[in-house]
Amino acid sequence: MSKESTTSGQYPSKSINIIVPFAAGGGMDLLARTLEKSSQKYLGQPLVIVNIAGGGGTLGMNEMVAAEPNGYTIGAVGTSTILQSLYGETRYHYPTALEPIVQVVSAPKVIAVLADRPWNNLSDLVNYAKEHPGQIKFGHAGLGTATHVVGEMLNKEAGIKLAQVPFKGDSEALTALLGGHIQILSGNPAALKEHVQSGTVKILGVAEEKRMTIHGFENVPTFKEQGINVSFNFSNGIVAPKGIPAAEKAKLVAGLKKMINDPEFKKVMMDIGMEVEYLGPDEFNDRWAEDNVKWTKIVKETGIADIIRAQKK
């Protein structure tokens, strides 16, 4: 329940911190920095990006939950917010300790490799992995994140054993891929797009029900098209600490909606590899609850939760 506001007439009267629970340069960070550009216009105050990386996003999410619910600290989150509470004890149960404000974009996950690798599709990769067990490493944004789950699901559904290597966000994992320290990246199009355009990285598959509409990624086949039964519907959005006053929340929602629907924001999101999919607080809350049920079922029934729980020890 939102608290009654005592300061809503002046809100916001100062800058608003937006916590990004991953390192700078990744998909979620790029989303927050794009919102930042129009915050003065639509909210009347600047957004200040605060990157708190580590723990698969839990360190930053802990800061979100613990912040004063006065509208001056919000956070950018994704499916990882729901996932982390499924792997054992976390400081908070994030799906109930954070309050959904707006969903911003859909955030498909892809499997990427360097362009000079001999694999041109997932079948090539799977066949190689079966012939060279334990020799291929896949990097991701952190233990238990959505990108980690996609890699583990690929392992399970394809019957292979790719060794996982966690990082503190998409950008760190991408650096490792470009440096040849890992052979595969489970990541986000936003962090990969310029390298795909330059021809240094190629995408082998997208873990969604349908192909992406993002320019430069339209021809990437889904996992299912390639005979691997892995499909998710990821999204990123904005949350606040539980108990944010109703008036402050309403002003945040109104300002964020204008920012997200701004044609320039939509263009930038498409250019960097994200598709705007706005949902208001009620719809985002419903999806939040549905995703919590869905993801709990997936990671438990597939045994992925047990695998990740063991890796975290």
Side-chain angles (χ1 to χ4, degrees):
M1 294 292 290
S2 296
K3 297 177 181 178
E4 185 177 350
S5 174
T6 57
T7 61
S8 59
Q10 295 79 41
Y11 177 82
S13 61
K14 60 181 181 179
S15 61
I16 299 170
N17 288 337
I18 178 167
I19 295 173
V20 176
F22 297 101
M28 207 175 294
D29 179 69
L30 291 171
L31 183 155
R33 292 183 190 279
T34 307
L35 286 173
E36 174 191 29
K37 292 177 182 178
S38 64
S39 58
Q40 188 77 51
K41 177 180 178 181
Y42 292 119
L43 280 173
Q45 293 291 341
L47 289 177
V48 177
I49 311 299
V50 182
N51 294 94
I52 304 176
T58 59
L59 298 184
M61 290 188 288
N62 288 344
E63 291 295 321
M64 295 179 205
V65 176
E68 184 72 23
N70 56 12
Y72 289 104
T73 299
I74 58 178
V77 299
T79 305
S80 300
T81 310
I82 292 170
L83 292 171
Q84 289 296 344
S85 295
L86 304 177
Y87 307 133
E89 288 191 17
T90 52
R91 185 179 298 178
Y92 306 102
H93 181 251
Y94 304 113
T96 54
L98 291 166
E99 187 158 341
I101 302 297
V102 295
Q103 177 179 290
V104 184
V105 295
S106 61
K109 308 304 176 193
V110 298
I111 294 295
V113 299
L114 292 178
D116 60 4
R117 294 290 181 183
W119 319 305
N120 293 311
N121 51 54
L122 291 179
S123 294
D124 290 346
L125 172 63
V126 168
N127 290 336
Y128 185 93
K130 288 180 176 178
E131 293 170 3
H132 303 81
Q135 293 186 20
I136 304 179
K137 298 175 182 176
F138 82 90
H140 54 79
L143 288 172
T145 60
T147 50
H148 183 191
V149 170
V150 166
E152 296 292 359
M153 290 298 293
L154 174 60
N155 269 340
K156 180 177 177 60
E157 293 298 325
I160 56 178
K161 292 185 178 179
L162 307 175
Q164 64 85 23
V165 182
F167 294 91
K168 291 184 179 180
D170 293 319
S171 57
E172 286 191 10
L174 175 58
T175 299
L177 179 73
L178 297 174
H181 304 295
I182 56 175
Q183 293 74 47
I184 302 168
L185 173 64
S186 177
N188 293 288
L192 291 162
K193 188 161 189 181
E194 68 173 275
H195 299 283
V196 172
Q197 290 175 332
S198 69
T200 56
V201 170
K202 58 186 174 183
I203 309 298
L204 303 187
V206 57
E208 291 274 333
E209 278 293 330
K210 58 184 180 179
R211 294 192 181 194
M212 294 175 282
T213 60
I214 299 165
H215 180 64
F217 291 81
E218 302 97 332
N219 295 323
V220 176
T222 66
F223 279 48
K224 283 189 172 182
E225 285 180 271
Q226 301 178 74
I228 298 172
N229 188 29
V230 176
S231 173
F232 303 113
N233 185 13
F234 299 104
S235 65
N236 291 337
I238 304 299
V239 299
K242 204 74 169 181
I244 179 174
E248 276 80 346
K249 180 178 177 179
K251 287 192 174 184
L252 264 179
V253 170
L256 286 166
K257 183 176 182 179
K258 291 176 182 176
M259 293 158 72
I260 295 163
N261 285 321
D262 186 292
E264 181 60 24
F265 177 81
K266 289 184 175 182
K267 179 180 183 301
V268 171
M269 287 292 97
M270 186 63 73
D271 286 346
I272 66 175
M274 290 185 172
E275 299 181 82
V276 172
E277 190 179 319
Y278 173 83
L279 292 178
D282 292 338
E283 295 83 4
F284 188 27
N285 185 69
D286 289 344
R287 175 163 183 181
W288 187 275
E290 290 168 6
D291 282 353
N292 189 27
V293 173
K294 179 180 74 174
W295 278 103
T296 299
K297 186 172 186 288
I298 288 173
V299 300
K300 287 185 176 179
E301 289 186 354
T302 59
I304 298 300
D306 294 332
I307 291 170
I308 294 173
R309 195 176 295 119
Q311 291 170 350
K312 280 175 165 281
K313 291 180 180 178

